Amino acid sequence: MSDPTFIDQNLSFSIPAKNCRGRAVRLGPVLNQILSAHRYPAQIRDVLAEALCLTAMLGTMLKDEESQLTMQAQTEAGIINLLVCDYKDGELRGYVQFDAERLAEQAVEPSLMALFGKGYLAITFDQPAPRGRSQGIVPLEGESLSEAVQNYFYQSEQLPTLIRVAVDGDNDAMTVGGLLVQHLPDGEEGRERLHVRLDHPEWEHVAIMAGSVKAVELIDSRLSLEDLLWRLFSESDEVRVLNGKPCVKGCRCNEDHIRDVIARFPKKDKTDMVEADGSISIDCAFCSRIFKITEASLNN
Protein backbone atom coordinates (compact mmCIF):
# COMPACT_ATOMS: atom_id res chain seq x y z
CA MET A 1 0.00 0.00 0.00
CA SER A 2 1.29 3.47 -0.86
CA ASP A 3 2.18 5.83 1.98
CA PRO A 4 -0.83 8.15 2.46
CA THR A 5 1.52 11.15 2.66
CA PHE A 6 3.03 10.14 -0.70
CA ILE A 7 6.53 10.01 0.75
CA ASP A 8 8.98 8.80 -1.94
CA GLN A 9 6.17 8.96 -4.48
CA ASN A 10 5.29 11.45 -7.18
CA LEU A 11 1.86 12.97 -7.49
CA SER A 12 0.73 14.39 -10.83
CA PHE A 13 -2.19 16.78 -11.09
CA SER A 14 -4.00 19.02 -13.53
CA ILE A 15 -6.44 21.93 -13.30
CA PRO A 16 -8.39 21.62 -16.56
CA ALA A 17 -10.28 24.91 -16.25
CA LYS A 18 -6.97 26.77 -15.95
CA ASN A 19 -5.05 24.72 -18.52
CA CYS A 20 -2.42 23.85 -15.93
CA ARG A 21 -0.57 20.69 -14.97
CA GLY A 22 1.86 19.93 -12.20
CA ARG A 23 3.91 17.54 -10.14
CA ALA A 24 4.42 17.28 -6.39
CA VAL A 25 6.94 15.08 -4.61
CA ARG A 26 8.24 14.49 -1.11
CA LEU A 27 11.37 12.39 -0.66
CA GLY A 28 12.51 10.84 2.63
CA PRO A 29 13.95 7.30 2.91
CA VAL A 30 15.07 7.13 -0.72
CA LEU A 31 16.75 10.53 -0.37
CA ASN A 32 18.67 9.36 2.70
CA GLN A 33 19.72 6.17 0.91
CA ILE A 34 21.20 8.17 -1.95
CA LEU A 35 22.91 10.72 0.31
CA SER A 36 24.39 8.00 2.53
CA ALA A 37 26.77 6.91 -0.23
CA HIS A 38 28.93 9.93 0.61
CA ARG A 39 29.35 12.02 3.76
CA TYR A 40 28.53 15.32 2.10
CA PRO A 41 28.97 18.63 3.96
CA ALA A 42 25.63 20.29 4.74
CA GLN A 43 25.87 22.85 1.93
CA ILE A 44 26.53 20.17 -0.71
CA ARG A 45 24.01 17.76 0.79
CA ASP A 46 21.22 20.34 0.58
CA VAL A 47 22.02 21.22 -3.05
CA LEU A 48 21.96 17.54 -4.03
CA ALA A 49 18.68 17.01 -2.15
CA GLU A 50 17.12 19.89 -4.10
CA ALA A 51 18.50 18.53 -7.38
CA LEU A 52 17.09 15.05 -6.69
CA CYS A 53 13.66 16.52 -5.95
CA LEU A 54 13.73 18.49 -9.21
CA THR A 55 14.87 15.42 -11.14
CA ALA A 56 12.05 13.33 -9.68
CA MET A 57 9.43 15.90 -10.67
CA LEU A 58 10.80 16.36 -14.18
CA GLY A 59 11.36 12.65 -14.73
CA THR A 60 7.70 11.78 -14.25
CA MET A 61 6.82 13.97 -17.23
CA LEU A 62 8.30 11.25 -19.42
CA LYS A 63 5.55 8.83 -20.41
CA ASP A 64 7.58 5.87 -21.69
CA GLU A 65 9.14 3.55 -19.11
CA GLU A 66 12.34 3.34 -21.16
CA SER A 67 12.78 7.11 -21.10
CA GLN A 68 15.41 8.76 -18.93
CA LEU A 69 15.87 12.30 -17.69
CA THR A 70 19.30 13.58 -16.72
CA MET A 71 20.02 16.90 -15.05
CA GLN A 72 23.64 17.96 -15.02
CA ALA A 73 25.36 21.12 -13.82
CA GLN A 74 28.89 21.84 -14.98
CA THR A 75 30.96 24.80 -13.93
CA GLU A 76 33.98 26.88 -14.71
CA ALA A 77 36.05 27.42 -11.57
CA GLY A 78 33.17 26.50 -9.29
CA ILE A 79 33.41 24.84 -5.87
CA ILE A 80 31.07 22.22 -7.30
CA ASN A 81 32.81 20.74 -10.31
CA LEU A 82 29.99 18.43 -11.33
CA LEU A 83 26.45 17.67 -10.23
CA VAL A 84 24.50 14.96 -12.00
CA CYS A 85 21.13 13.32 -11.25
CA ASP A 86 18.95 11.07 -13.34
CA TYR A 87 15.53 9.43 -13.27
CA LYS A 88 14.38 6.34 -15.14
CA ASP A 89 11.09 4.54 -14.52
CA GLY A 90 11.00 5.50 -10.84
CA GLU A 91 14.71 4.93 -10.25
CA LEU A 92 16.53 7.98 -8.92
CA ARG A 93 20.22 8.63 -8.36
CA GLY A 94 22.59 11.56 -7.94
CA TYR A 95 26.16 12.58 -7.20
CA VAL A 96 28.18 15.75 -6.53
CA GLN A 97 31.89 16.30 -7.09
CA PHE A 98 33.27 19.32 -5.23
CA ASP A 99 36.38 21.03 -3.83
CA ALA A 100 36.28 20.51 -0.04
CA GLU A 101 39.08 22.98 0.70
CA ARG A 102 37.42 25.85 -1.16
CA LEU A 103 34.06 25.00 0.36
CA ALA A 104 35.54 25.33 3.86
CA GLU A 105 36.50 28.92 3.06
CA GLN A 106 32.91 29.89 2.20
CA ALA A 107 30.11 31.22 4.37
CA VAL A 108 27.80 28.76 6.12
CA GLU A 109 25.16 29.27 3.43
CA PRO A 110 27.04 30.03 0.18
CA SER A 111 25.11 31.44 -2.76
CA LEU A 112 24.47 29.56 -5.96
CA MET A 113 27.11 31.69 -7.66
CA ALA A 114 29.64 30.90 -4.94
CA LEU A 115 29.06 27.17 -5.34
CA PHE A 116 28.91 26.95 -9.12
CA GLY A 117 30.73 30.04 -10.37
CA LYS A 118 30.01 30.46 -14.06
CA GLY A 119 27.95 27.34 -14.54
CA TYR A 120 25.46 25.83 -16.94
CA LEU A 121 22.51 23.55 -16.35
CA ALA A 122 21.78 20.87 -18.94
CA ILE A 123 18.52 18.91 -18.92
CA THR A 124 18.49 15.90 -21.24
CA PHE A 125 15.46 13.84 -22.23
CA ASP A 126 16.31 10.41 -23.66
CA GLN A 127 13.19 8.85 -25.20
CA PRO A 128 12.54 5.97 -27.59
CA ALA A 129 12.15 6.68 -31.30
CA PRO A 130 10.83 8.72 -32.92
CA ARG A 131 11.38 11.33 -30.19
CA GLY A 132 14.99 10.38 -29.45
CA ARG A 133 17.23 12.67 -27.41
CA SER A 134 16.65 16.36 -26.73
CA GLN A 135 18.57 18.71 -24.51
CA GLY A 136 18.25 22.24 -23.18
CA ILE A 137 21.13 24.23 -21.69
CA VAL A 138 20.74 27.43 -19.66
CA PRO A 139 23.10 29.48 -17.47
CA LEU A 140 23.03 28.67 -13.76
CA GLU A 141 21.51 31.94 -12.66
CA GLY A 142 19.25 32.88 -9.77
CA GLU A 143 19.09 32.14 -6.08
CA SER A 144 18.70 28.36 -6.35
CA LEU A 145 18.70 25.35 -8.66
CA SER A 146 14.89 25.56 -8.68
CA GLU A 147 15.06 29.05 -10.13
CA ALA A 148 17.56 27.88 -12.74
CA VAL A 149 15.15 25.08 -13.80
CA GLN A 150 12.34 27.63 -14.01
CA ASN A 151 14.56 29.63 -16.35
CA TYR A 152 15.12 26.48 -18.43
CA PHE A 153 11.39 26.13 -19.10
CA TYR A 154 10.98 29.81 -19.91
CA GLN A 155 14.00 30.01 -22.18
CA SER A 156 14.17 26.55 -23.79
CA GLU A 157 10.51 25.49 -23.75
CA GLN A 158 8.71 28.86 -23.57
CA LEU A 159 6.53 27.23 -20.93
CA PRO A 160 5.38 29.33 -17.94
CA THR A 161 6.56 27.38 -14.88
CA LEU A 162 6.62 27.86 -11.12
CA ILE A 163 8.80 25.64 -8.91
CA ARG A 164 9.16 25.56 -5.14
CA VAL A 165 11.46 23.18 -3.22
CA ALA A 166 12.16 22.95 0.52
CA VAL A 167 14.88 20.92 2.26
CA ASP A 168 14.93 19.98 5.95
CA GLY A 169 16.81 17.76 8.36
CA ASP A 170 20.35 16.57 9.07
CA ASN A 171 22.62 13.87 7.72
CA ASP A 172 20.66 11.09 9.40
CA ALA A 173 17.12 12.12 8.45
CA MET A 174 16.65 14.41 5.47
CA THR A 175 13.37 15.37 3.82
CA VAL A 176 12.83 17.35 0.63
CA GLY A 177 9.54 18.41 -0.89
CA GLY A 178 8.76 20.08 -4.19
CA LEU A 179 5.93 21.54 -6.23
CA LEU A 180 6.03 22.21 -9.98
CA VAL A 181 3.17 23.91 -11.86
CA GLN A 182 3.04 24.70 -15.59
CA HIS A 183 0.63 26.50 -17.87
CA LEU A 184 -0.38 24.87 -21.16
CA PRO A 185 -1.48 27.88 -23.24
CA ASP A 186 -3.38 25.95 -25.89
CA GLY A 187 -5.36 23.78 -23.53
CA GLU A 188 -5.25 20.12 -22.68
CA GLU A 189 -1.94 18.31 -22.38
CA GLY A 190 -0.90 16.73 -25.65
CA ARG A 191 -2.26 19.43 -27.93
CA GLU A 192 0.04 21.61 -29.97
CA ARG A 193 0.83 24.92 -28.32
CA LEU A 194 0.23 27.57 -30.97
CA HIS A 195 1.23 30.54 -28.86
CA VAL A 196 2.65 31.41 -25.46
CA ARG A 197 1.60 34.24 -23.18
CA LEU A 198 3.69 34.49 -20.04
CA ASP A 199 1.18 37.00 -18.64
CA HIS A 200 -1.94 34.94 -19.37
CA PRO A 201 -4.66 35.70 -16.75
CA GLU A 202 -5.25 31.99 -16.10
CA TRP A 203 -1.57 31.45 -15.39
CA GLU A 204 -1.26 34.53 -13.19
CA HIS A 205 -4.06 33.25 -10.97
CA VAL A 206 -2.62 29.73 -10.64
CA ALA A 207 0.91 31.08 -10.08
CA ILE A 208 -0.33 33.23 -7.18
CA MET A 209 -2.08 30.26 -5.57
CA ALA A 210 0.87 27.90 -6.09
CA GLY A 211 3.36 30.55 -4.99
CA SER A 212 1.62 30.80 -1.64
CA VAL A 213 2.89 27.36 -0.62
CA LYS A 214 5.07 27.46 2.50
CA ALA A 215 8.31 25.55 2.90
CA VAL A 216 6.96 23.80 6.00
CA GLU A 217 4.00 22.51 3.98
CA LEU A 218 6.28 20.88 1.42
CA ILE A 219 8.26 18.94 4.04
CA ASP A 220 5.58 18.24 6.67
CA SER A 221 5.07 14.46 6.53
CA ARG A 222 1.81 14.83 8.50
CA LEU A 223 0.30 16.73 5.57
CA SER A 224 -0.34 14.55 2.56
CA LEU A 225 0.55 16.00 -0.81
CA GLU A 226 -3.04 15.47 -1.93
CA ASP A 227 -4.31 17.60 0.98
CA LEU A 228 -1.69 20.20 0.16
CA LEU A 229 -3.00 20.47 -3.42
CA TRP A 230 -6.60 20.87 -2.24
CA ARG A 231 -5.41 23.56 0.17
CA LEU A 232 -3.59 25.50 -2.55
CA PHE A 233 -6.17 25.18 -5.31
CA SER A 234 -9.44 25.04 -3.37
CA GLU A 235 -10.83 27.88 -5.48
CA SER A 236 -10.69 25.72 -8.61
CA ASP A 237 -13.77 23.76 -9.65
CA GLU A 238 -11.74 20.62 -10.32
CA VAL A 239 -8.25 19.37 -9.51
CA ARG A 240 -7.45 15.99 -11.05
CA VAL A 241 -4.90 14.01 -9.04
CA LEU A 242 -3.08 10.85 -10.09
CA ASN A 243 -0.75 8.82 -7.87
CA GLY A 244 2.65 8.32 -9.45
CA LYS A 245 5.18 5.52 -9.33
CA PRO A 246 7.23 5.17 -6.11
CA CYS A 247 10.77 6.53 -6.24
CA VAL A 248 13.57 4.12 -5.40
CA LYS A 249 17.35 4.38 -5.25
CA GLY A 250 18.35 3.40 -8.74
CA CYS A 251 22.08 3.02 -9.26
CA ARG A 252 22.18 0.71 -12.24
CA CYS A 253 25.78 -0.42 -11.87
CA ASN A 254 26.41 -4.16 -11.59
CA GLU A 255 29.24 -6.46 -12.56
CA ASP A 256 27.64 -7.60 -15.81
CA HIS A 257 27.04 -4.02 -16.98
CA ILE A 258 30.58 -2.95 -16.08
CA ARG A 259 32.03 -6.02 -17.75
CA ASP A 260 30.14 -5.20 -20.94
CA VAL A 261 31.46 -1.62 -20.88
CA ILE A 262 35.06 -2.71 -20.35
CA ALA A 263 34.75 -5.24 -23.17
CA ARG A 264 34.24 -2.39 -25.63
CA PHE A 265 37.68 -0.93 -24.92
CA PRO A 266 40.66 -1.77 -27.18
CA LYS A 267 42.76 -4.72 -25.96
CA LYS A 268 45.73 -2.48 -25.05
CA ASP A 269 43.55 -0.17 -22.94
CA LYS A 270 42.09 -3.15 -21.08
CA THR A 271 45.59 -4.49 -20.43
CA ASP A 272 46.66 -1.13 -19.00
CA MET A 273 43.67 -1.17 -16.62
CA VAL A 274 44.65 -4.49 -15.03
CA GLU A 275 46.15 -4.19 -11.55
CA ALA A 276 48.82 -6.38 -9.94
CA ASP A 277 46.21 -8.83 -8.61
CA GLY A 278 44.85 -9.44 -12.10
CA SER A 279 41.68 -7.42 -11.71
CA ILE A 280 40.26 -4.10 -12.91
CA SER A 281 38.78 -1.82 -10.23
CA ILE A 282 35.85 0.38 -11.21
CA ASP A 283 34.56 2.98 -8.76
CA CYS A 284 30.86 3.92 -9.06
CA ALA A 285 30.50 7.52 -7.89
CA PHE A 286 26.72 7.21 -7.50
CA CYS A 287 26.72 4.41 -4.93
CA SER A 288 30.34 4.66 -3.71
CA ARG A 289 31.05 1.03 -4.49
CA ILE A 290 34.18 -0.46 -6.02
CA PHE A 291 33.64 -3.33 -8.44
CA LYS A 292 36.53 -5.74 -8.96
CA ILE A 293 36.39 -7.31 -12.42
CA THR A 294 38.88 -10.11 -13.08
CA GLU A 295 40.75 -10.09 -16.34
CA ALA A 296 39.88 -13.75 -16.83
CA SER A 297 36.14 -13.03 -16.69
CA LEU A 298 36.46 -10.57 -19.59
CA ASN A 299 37.58 -13.40 -21.85
CA ASN A 300 34.58 -15.59 -21.07
Side-chain angles (χ1 to χ4, degrees):
M1 180 179 295
S2 297
D3 190 311
T5 64
F6 301 103
I7 195 78
D8 291 344
Q9 184 175 342
N10 274 282
L11 203 66
S12 63
F13 64 94
S14 63
I15 309 175
K18 300 296 183 182
N19 294 328
C20 288
R21 69 176 179 186
R23 299 291 187 274
V25 68
R26 186 179 290 140
L27 302 177
V30 68
L31 171 68
N32 290 291
Q33 287 179 340
I34 295 171
L35 295 177
S36 67
H38 301 274
R39 197 69 179 177
Y40 291 111
Q43 305 96 319
I44 303 299
R45 175 202 68 200
D46 290 355
V47 169
L48 180 54
E50 180 181 11
L52 287 165
C53 184
L54 292 166
T55 302
M57 290 191 290
L58 298 179
T60 58
M61 293 180 178
L62 299 172
K63 301 187 183 302
D64 194 290
E65 292 183 355
E66 295 303 313
S67 297
Q68 177 173 317
L69 178 133
T70 303
M71 186 169 72
Q72 182 171 322
Q74 292 186 312
T75 70
E76 297 177 15
I79 292 173
I80 292 178
N81 306 312
L82 173 68
L83 181 151
V84 59
C85 299
D86 68 38
Y87 175 98
K88 183 177 182 180
D89 194 26
E91 295 187 349
L92 188 65
R93 64 180 181 173
Y95 168 71
V96 180
Q97 183 183 89
F98 65 98
D99 187 324
E101 292 184 1
R102 290 182 57 197
L103 178 66
E105 300 171 355
Q106 291 293 317
V108 176
E109 296 184 2
S111 66
L112 194 71
M113 176 61 72
L115 287 174
F116 289 95
K118 184 179 179 182
Y120 295 88
L121 184 69
I123 299 179
T124 306
F125 298 87
D126 285 299
Q127 303 179 81
R131 292 186 180 90
R133 168 176 287 197
S134 62
Q135 184 181 71
I137 300 176
V138 293
L140 264 173
E141 298 174 343
E143 298 297 322
S144 65
L145 281 177
S146 299
E147 191 170 335
V149 174
Q150 279 188 172
N151 292 337
Y152 160 80
F153 281 107
Y154 277 111
Q155 296 177 26
S156 297
E157 302 290 330
Q158 289 80 52
L159 199 62
T161 303
L162 181 141
I163 299 175
R164 296 289 184 269
V165 173
V167 180
D168 183 53
D170 54 34
N171 283 326
D172 297 319
M174 294 289 295
T175 303
V176 61
L179 175 72
L180 179 151
V181 186
Q182 294 181 323
H183 186 233
L184 304 176
D186 197 41
E188 291 292 334
E189 185 173 352
R191 290 176 58 189
E192 183 180 2
R193 291 184 287 114
L194 301 180
H195 66 282
V196 174
R197 280 186 57 192
L198 301 184
D199 61 345
H200 197 290
E202 290 177 350
W203 170 244
E204 289 181 345
H205 180 68
V206 172
I208 289 172
M209 292 191 295
S212 69
V213 68
K214 299 178 177 62
V216 67
E217 293 176 309
L218 291 171
I219 57 177
D220 184 359
S221 61
R222 296 166 299 179
L223 175 66
S224 77
L225 292 177
E226 192 172 56
D227 287 342
L228 173 59
L229 295 177
W230 296 129
R231 179 182 294 183
L232 291 174
F233 306 113
S234 59
E235 296 179 13
S236 300
D237 294 333
E238 180 185 16
V239 180
R240 297 177 184 173
V241 177
L242 181 64
N243 295 358
K245 182 172 291 188
C247 292
V248 297
K249 180 182 177 183
C251 188
R252 294 180 287 279
C253 281
N254 58 60
E255 290 190 5
D256 289 339
H257 171 72
I258 292 172
R259 195 175 286 109
D260 288 342
V261 172
I262 295 175
R264 300 169 193 166
F265 282 80
K267 183 176 181 180
K268 181 180 183 305
D269 291 348
K270 287 187 287 188
T271 301
D272 292 342
M273 295 179 191
V274 178
E275 300 172 7
D277 64 357
S279 68
I280 298 174
S281 296
I282 302 296
D283 183 2
C284 174
F286 287 103
C287 60
S288 194
R289 292 175 59 193
I290 296 177
F291 293 87
K292 301 282 283 187
I293 307 299
T294 63
E295 184 179 20
S297 71
L298 294 175
N299 298 322
N300 292 338

